[in-house]
Amino acid sequence: DMLSSNVDPGSRLSLLIVDDEPMVLSLLSRFASQNGFSVVLRDGRSDVITELPALQPDVALVDLHLPTTSGLDVLRALR
């Protein structure tokens, strides 16, 4: 498939999921893990922006409406 053709077979892409809904985190995490991603979860209540330099995800799924910050701010910080 297209995704695996650009990835070293021994490595897994890291996926950051930021959402304040536990059910959404659980569902997305399960799906991503089953499809070969290394998943990092954040509930949107912590200051995920300050954690980004250490996390350095390959891919991010971010809720735009978080309790402590805007998801757009998180995405801007990822750039």
Side-chain angles (χ1 to χ4, degrees):
D1 71 37
M2 183 187 323
L3 188 61
S4 62
S5 65
N6 296 324
V7 179
D8 174 12
S11 69
R12 295 170 56 183
L13 290 175
S14 63
L15 172 64
L16 171 64
I17 304 173
V18 184
D19 201 296
D20 58 330
E21 295 290 332
M23 185 64 84
V24 172
L25 285 174
S26 176
L27 178 69
L28 291 174
S29 175
R30 189 173 321 124
F31 178 79
S33 294
Q34 291 172 349
N35 285 281
F37 285 89
S38 172
V39 180
V40 176
L41 302 175
R42 292 297 180 266
D43 65 9
R45 288 170 175 73
S46 64
D47 188 9
V48 68
I49 292 174
T50 61
E51 296 181 63
L52 290 176
L55 297 175
Q56 296 186 352
D58 296 305
V59 181
L61 295 175
V62 181
D63 183 357
L64 295 181
H65 303 287
L66 298 168
T68 60
T69 189
S70 162
L72 288 175
D73 290 338
V74 173
L75 293 173
R76 284 185 194 107
L78 276 168
R79 292 174 59 195

